[in-house]
């Protein structure tokens, strides 16, 4: 039998420093410009009990109190109708773009740190939005990312080589009368295992798919190579039956 193992291929893959560096430069671009904004808000809802005009009057009244120097978080805890954030002084935590509805997001991302918007209307009601902080992602250094980038490149290359070898093994072994040609072409070794039965504990030949094929008339009688069989993810095998022994009782002299 011949087996192809992706893990073994990965161990043999060699990388050049410039390959890793190229991937780092690509990855680094994804970190650049990432920004999260730490926001708080005060919400007055527009609903069956509160008209648009009443909600606007209430939020304007709160805004006037802010202008006189009252604390945003205190007013949010007292007056905001967003139950989820009011208890924490209106704090919404950090977020990037694409989290809030467009009118809210646009107003938030126009603020400078520490600033508060004028009343902003959304489908939920009227908001006063305060930008608490702007946080940008730090770009990790090449040395920090080198190990993970190397592993990813190895995985990519080994997956490609594994797929190519598996396809080539299937093509050659299908048309070949033995496994030698496949082994030579792929740089692999033909291995042998004697005494394989339905009770074998061998990892490969105890596999259900292998067992089903192993004892088929096509392999036993015609002595063909098997199809490529996937044992596990990243592990395939092709095999052939060199000799077949019918089920029989041992002679007493053999087991005495």
């Amino acid at each position: 039998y011949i087996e192809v193992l992706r893990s073994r291929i990965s161990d043999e893959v060699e990388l050049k420093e410039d390959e890793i560096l190229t991937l780092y430069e690509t990855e680094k671009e994804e970190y650049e410009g990432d920004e999260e904004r730490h926001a708080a808000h005060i919400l007055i809802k527009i609903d069956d009990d509160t008209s648009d005009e009443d909600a606007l009057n209430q939020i304007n009244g709160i805004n006037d109190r802010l202008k006189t120097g009252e604390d945003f978080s205190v007013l949010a805890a007292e007056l905001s109708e967003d139950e989820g954030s009011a208890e924490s002084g209106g704090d919404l935590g950090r977020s990037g773009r694409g989290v809030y509805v467009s009118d809210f997001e646009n107003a938030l991302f126009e603020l400078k740190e520490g600033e508060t918007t004028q009343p902003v209307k959304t489908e939920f009601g009227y908001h006063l939005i305060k930008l608490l902080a702007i946080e940008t992602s730090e770009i990790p250094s090449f040395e920090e990312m080198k190990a993970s980038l190397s592993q990813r490149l190895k995985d990519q290359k080994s997956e490609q080589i594994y797929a190519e070898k598996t396809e080539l093994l299937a093509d050659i072994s299908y048309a070949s009368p033995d496994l030698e040609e496949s082994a030579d072409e792929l740089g692999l070794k033909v291995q042998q295992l004697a005494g394989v039965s339905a009770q074998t504990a061998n990892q490969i030949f105890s596999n259900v798919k292998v067992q089903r094929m192993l004892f088929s008339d096509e392999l036993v009688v015609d002595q063909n190579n098997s199809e490529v069989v996937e044992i596990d993810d990243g592990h395939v095998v092709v095999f052939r039956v060199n000799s077949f022994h019918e089920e029989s009782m041992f002679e007493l002299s053999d087991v005495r």
Side-chain angles (χ1 to χ4, degrees):
Y1 65 97
I2 296 175
E3 58 180 337
V4 180
L5 285 159
R6 187 171 55 214
S7 59
R8 196 172 295 162
I9 294 170
S10 180
D11 292 339
E12 296 170 355
V13 169
E14 295 183 358
L15 300 175
K16 296 178 180 177
E17 188 82 359
D18 60 345
E19 291 180 286
I20 308 170
L21 191 56
T22 298
L23 182 57
Y24 170 71
E25 292 299 331
T26 303
E27 294 284 306
K28 191 172 70 171
E29 290 175 6
E30 296 180 8
Y31 285 95
E32 291 175 347
D34 284 354
E35 178 184 287
E36 290 187 324
R37 295 208 158 198
H38 190 175
H41 82 142
I42 297 171
L43 169 68
I44 299 299
K45 295 178 180 177
I46 300 171
D47 52 27
D48 294 339
D49 298 321
T50 307
S51 67
D52 187 306
E53 184 179 356
D54 288 340
L56 181 58
N57 287 334
Q58 289 184 54
I59 205 75
N60 279 328
I62 297 170
N63 196 25
D64 290 339
R65 292 174 64 178
L66 286 172
K67 291 176 181 178
T68 64
E70 291 194 51
D71 187 86
F72 189 97
S73 62
V74 173
L75 289 177
E78 177 188 346
L79 301 170
S80 179
E81 294 179 349
D82 176 12
E83 295 84 357
S85 67
E87 291 182 0
S88 57
D91 195 329
L92 294 170
R94 296 183 305 172
S95 63
R97 287 191 177 274
V99 174
Y100 303 116
V101 293
S102 59
D103 290 334
F104 189 104
E105 180 180 285
N106 291 338
L108 172 61
F109 277 83
E110 287 176 0
L111 292 174
K112 294 179 180 177
E113 195 167 314
E115 287 184 342
T116 302
T117 63
Q118 293 300 308
V120 176
K121 184 179 180 182
T122 70
E123 60 196 81
F124 304 105
Y126 283 97
H127 308 257
L128 292 170
I129 308 164
K130 183 174 183 177
L131 177 58
L132 302 178
I134 299 174
E135 300 183 28
T136 55
S137 302
E138 285 190 15
I139 302 170
S141 68
F142 175 66
E143 290 304 321
E144 289 174 319
M145 292 187 68
K146 186 176 180 179
S148 61
L149 294 175
S150 297
Q151 189 58 53
R152 195 186 313 171
L153 276 174
K154 272 197 167 190
D155 290 343
Q156 291 172 358
K157 287 195 170 191
S158 58
E159 181 62 44
Q160 181 181 352
I161 295 170
Y162 173 74
E164 291 170 354
K165 283 196 170 188
T166 299
E167 184 177 354
L168 190 57
L169 177 62
D171 291 343
I172 298 174
S173 61
Y174 177 78
S176 179
D178 55 36
L179 296 176
E180 298 298 335
E181 184 182 354
S182 298
D184 291 343
E185 186 69 30
L186 296 170
L188 299 171
K189 181 182 177 182
V190 178
Q191 303 177 73
Q192 294 191 22
L193 186 66
V196 178
S197 72
Q199 283 76 45
T200 188
N202 179 272
Q203 179 193 4
I204 294 173
F205 290 94
S206 61
N207 181 277
V208 174
K209 292 180 286 187
V210 171
Q211 283 271 326
R212 190 180 299 121
M213 202 175 294
L214 178 65
F215 292 104
S216 69
D217 289 342
E218 181 182 354
L219 293 191
V220 172
V221 177
D222 299 335
Q223 289 191 301
N224 293 324
N225 295 328
S226 73
E227 298 173 5
V228 173
V229 183
E230 185 176 43
I231 306 300
D232 289 306
D233 181 37
H235 185 190
V236 296
V237 64
V238 167
F239 59 91
R240 62 183 291 108
V241 177
N242 282 344
S243 59
F244 177 71
H245 304 277
E246 294 282 357
E247 182 180 37
S248 63
M249 184 71 72
F250 287 121
E251 295 292 335
L252 176 59
S253 58
D254 292 333
V255 299
R256 182 181 296 277

